[in-house]
Amino acid sequence: MVWLMSDYDTYDAIVVGGGISGLLSALTLGKKGNSVLLLEKANVLGGNCRTYEPPDCPGWRVDTGVHAITGLIYGPLKQLNHYFDPGKFPTFRQHTNYYLRKKDGLEKFPSTLPGFLKMDSLPAKDKMILGGCLINTVISHAIFGEKQKAVYDAISKHRLSKKTMQFMDALSYLLSGLSMKKTSVSRLLEGCGFSSGGKRGIFRRIAEIANLFNNIGYRSQGYPLGGIQSITDGVITSFPKNVEYHTREEVRKIEQVESGFCVSTLETDYFSDKVVYSGEVKKLPGIIEMPVEWSQQVKKLEQATAMTIWLGLKTPMTEFNYNGSEVFCDVCDTDKELFYWLMPVPELAPRNKGLIGVSTIIDPKKCHDSKEKLLNTIYSLVPALEKNIEMIHTQVMAPEKAAVSLNYFPSIKTPVKGLYVVGTDTDMRSMGITRAGYSVLELLKSL
Ligand SMILES: Cc1cc2nc3c(=O)[nH]c(=O)nc-3n(C[C@H](O)[C@H](O)[C@H](O)COP(=O)(O)OP(=O)(O)OC[C@H]3O[C@@H](n4cnc5c(N)ncnc54)[C@H](O)[C@@H]3O)c2cc1C
């Protein structure tokens, strides 16, 4: 067939997918003067970065998963901030602390090495060993750069207690969605704020050693006022006129044509010079013909499944009266649900009520059991909670399109000229929205 481009809508760039990575791609390309079309298959924009009213719980609002946004001081959102129109960049309240919930209350989760050594919850011998490992690893990362080594491989030779091994496993699940056998040491260091990840100069890396004693990364986390939807809304309302978007239009096929691409949805065909794909990279070979080796590599990307239970409280509770979030990982259990991450989000609750979100990593085949187990764990730790519940809303989602394991990650530039991929399965740094932001910065560098 001969394509006559003049018969069709043509753009400088077509962005496939309207999650935060697609939205930020459209915003930045648009602000650089490109004509952009963004196509989203769902009926709303935002993907995993939304706040909504659950259909069966009128009056309540919840986010798509419990969120603390990292890297607000130096990270990608800060670097992309100037693409937002004045006053549209969200305001964040600081996510001040992490706590460990124990049967007798909360213990502040340490952010520095001295704090870690004072922590009550782990045996003294183990803390000394882990402290030594931490100093060695941070220094060797700073001087020699990052090596892909699993957390388990780094600590298993030290004969740590079962409790400490469970703690490290829980921390790995929390930071990567995977066990400590699959989580890399670099991911753990980054997640705890001891490294900013990726390529950086030797002086910056050496300066990061100071984070062991004064952790800036840990302090640069926040929660956007108005819910995570305010990030999505900030982007959409900053779109210049040359950015167009259509919802309810799934991209079924992308073909290379003489001077670019033909992007097909059920409704019509569009043409562009460049395509930025922000759906799951694994699914891209089903939409456009990709080299076999590349397609086989991306199939190896691993995904975790998270369950979040939102609990609406009849009245706010002093037990959750803190700014930050808590983790619980003290149960002697052998499967994945040995930890939870809980965050009070009072600003989304109706007046004079309370709201907490609790997330954990689950086996998707055991959703029902996981829900019951998670609820029972919380009720046993905070007995007054059960009688104070007015609303329960459950979400099962993939927190990221790929969890950072020791596996290969594709780069933003694909083997097909003019076709780029962005999103949480294209950059290994940080996690979630911050990782999506890093991928957009890489896109801008690659163009
Ligand atoms: C429980 C939980 C906790 C989380 N905690 C945090 C946190 O603390 N901090 C943080 O930063 N992040 C967190 N996240 C993750 C974060 O929300 C996501 O990683 C991020 O929003 C993903 O953005 P994305 O654009 O890469 O992907 P997505 O949001 O998945 O967007 C992809 C979009 O592309 C669309 N699409 C796909 N294929 C097509 C197609 N063929 N045609 C048209 N459209 C298509 C999809 O419908 C979707 O809208 C959490 C997530 C969960 C679930």
Side-chain angles (χ1 to χ4, degrees):
M1 185 194 293
V2 178
W3 299 103
L4 282 177
M5 290 180 57
S6 54
D7 293 346
Y8 293 89
D9 294 334
T10 63
Y11 299 86
D12 294 327
I14 291 182
V15 177
V16 182
I20 195 64
S21 55
L23 291 171
L24 285 169
S25 303
L27 173 70
T28 51
L29 291 174
K31 288 267 166 132
K32 281 176 178 287
N34 296 282
S35 57
V36 181
L37 171 66
L38 181 146
L39 297 166
E40 164 57 52
K41 67 179 174 185
N43 55 2
V44 284
L45 296 176
N48 255 354
C49 187
R50 289 185 299 112
T51 307
Y52 63 92
E53 185 174 302
D56 49 346
C57 315
W60 291 89
R61 288 197 315 139
V62 298
D63 288 329
T64 42
V66 173
H67 277 73
I69 312 301
T70 55
L72 292 173
I73 296 180
Y74 302 118
L77 282 188
K78 173 84 185 167
Q79 294 173 56
L80 293 166
N81 177 334
H82 64 279
Y83 288 99
F84 288 67
D85 281 353
K88 302 292 185 192
F89 191 75
T91 307
F92 290 85
R93 70 157 151 88
Q94 217 184 349
H95 178 279
T96 317
N97 288 313
Y98 284 90
Y99 299 89
L100 270 182
R101 179 155 312 257
K102 302 187 299 181
K103 296 200 167 91
D104 55 354
L106 295 175
E107 180 182 359
K108 204 163 153 196
F109 194 86
S111 63
T112 61
L113 180 64
F116 174 74
L117 294 174
K118 281 190 215 136
M119 212 176 141
D120 284 344
S121 301
L122 300 179
K125 177 179 140 264
D126 291 2
K127 283 189 292 187
M128 295 306 289
I129 296 172
L130 283 179
C133 286
L134 184 62
I135 294 175
N136 278 339
T137 322
V138 169
I139 292 177
S140 79
H141 266 234
I143 295 172
F144 303 113
E146 279 156 26
K147 285 193 211 90
Q148 286 286 58
K149 189 175 191 183
V151 173
Y152 179 81
D153 294 336
I155 62 171
S156 55
K157 57 177 185 264
H158 293 297
R159 294 176 169 237
L160 298 166
S161 65
K162 187 177 172 192
K163 191 173 181 172
T164 302
M165 290 302 269
Q166 278 180 335
F167 172 79
M168 295 304 287
D169 210 21
L171 202 57
S172 302
Y173 274 116
L174 179 73
L175 294 173
S176 80
L178 300 172
S179 75
M180 61 179 163
K181 289 190 175 166
K182 290 184 169 181
T183 301
S184 70
V185 171
S186 341
R187 177 70 209 108
L188 205 70
L189 292 183
E190 245 191 279
C192 294
F194 294 124
S195 155
S196 55
K199 287 191 194 128
R200 57 212 187 280
I202 182 81
F203 292 114
R204 173 92 185 271
R205 285 197 258 133
I206 289 175
E208 283 175 356
I209 296 173
N211 280 348
L212 284 170
F213 302 93
N214 179 22
N215 198 336
I216 296 174
Y218 201 78
R219 288 205 307 269
S220 72
Q221 303 195 14
Y223 178 77
L225 300 180
I228 55 167
Q229 183 73 39
S230 61
I231 308 178
T232 295
D233 289 346
V235 180
I236 299 169
T237 52
S238 300
F239 277 167
K241 284 200 178 76
N242 46 321
V243 174
E244 196 184 313
Y245 63 85
H246 301 176
T247 51
R248 293 197 181 100
E249 255 196 273
E250 178 173 0
V251 171
R252 300 287 181 100
K253 201 170 166 194
I254 304 172
E255 275 180 283
Q256 277 184 282
V257 292
E258 207 180 307
S259 57
F261 296 90
C262 169
V263 176
S264 308
T265 67
L266 269 187
E267 288 73 15
T268 187
D269 297 323
Y270 304 97
F271 285 86
S272 65
D273 298 339
K274 298 182 267 296
V275 170
V276 178
Y277 175 83
S278 78
E280 279 177 59
V281 171
K282 264 185 197 179
K283 295 188 177 156
L284 188 57
I287 300 178
I288 179 170
E289 205 177 318
M290 298 297 288
V292 176
E293 199 191 328
W294 189 89
S295 307
Q296 281 169 347
Q297 289 277 35
V298 298
K299 260 195 215 153
K300 292 184 203 152
L301 292 171
E302 289 187 73
Q303 227 171 38
T305 305
M307 172 177 280
T308 302
I309 304 182
W310 289 98
L311 298 173
L313 313 179
K314 290 176 200 159
T315 52
M317 295 175 73
T318 49
E319 284 86 343
F320 304 112
N321 191 11
Y322 54 80
N323 188 349
S325 54
E326 62 176 80
V327 289
F328 173 75
C329 57
D330 206 14
V331 263
C332 286
D333 208 333
T334 48
D335 64 20
K336 288 179 187 170
E337 294 124 58
L338 76 175
F339 83 91
Y340 72 52
W341 177 34
L342 185 153
M343 190 168 150
V345 191
E347 49 272 82
L348 290 187
R351 238 174 130 211
N352 300 327
K353 304 202 176 197
L355 180 72
I356 58 174
V358 200
S359 296
T360 192
I361 298 295
I362 61 158
D363 176 342
K365 289 185 215 110
K366 296 185 188 160
C367 275
H368 182 74
D369 298 354
S370 304
K371 182 172 174 180
E372 224 176 270
K373 199 165 172 182
L374 192 53
L375 282 175
N376 288 338
T377 306
I378 309 163
Y379 295 158
S380 71
L381 289 167
V382 186
L385 178 63
E386 194 168 1
K387 287 208 172 91
N388 192 27
I389 288 178
E390 183 174 311
M391 183 279 299
I392 299 188
H393 176 68
T394 308
Q395 301 162 333
V396 176
M397 327 173 66
E400 289 159 327
K401 287 177 277 188
V404 174
S405 66
L406 298 166
N407 268 337
Y408 150 97
F409 251 56
S411 63
I412 305 296
K413 247 182 178 169
T414 72
V416 175
K417 194 166 177 269
L419 173 66
Y420 301 86
V421 287
V422 291
T424 48
D425 46 1
T426 63
D427 200 302
M428 286 180 118
R429 286 169 288 176
S430 191
M431 60 201 302
I433 290 165
T434 310
R435 189 175 327 154
Y438 273 124
S439 75
V440 175
L441 287 174
E442 281 305 310
L443 169 74
L444 297 178
K445 276 193 227 157
S446 304
L447 289 169

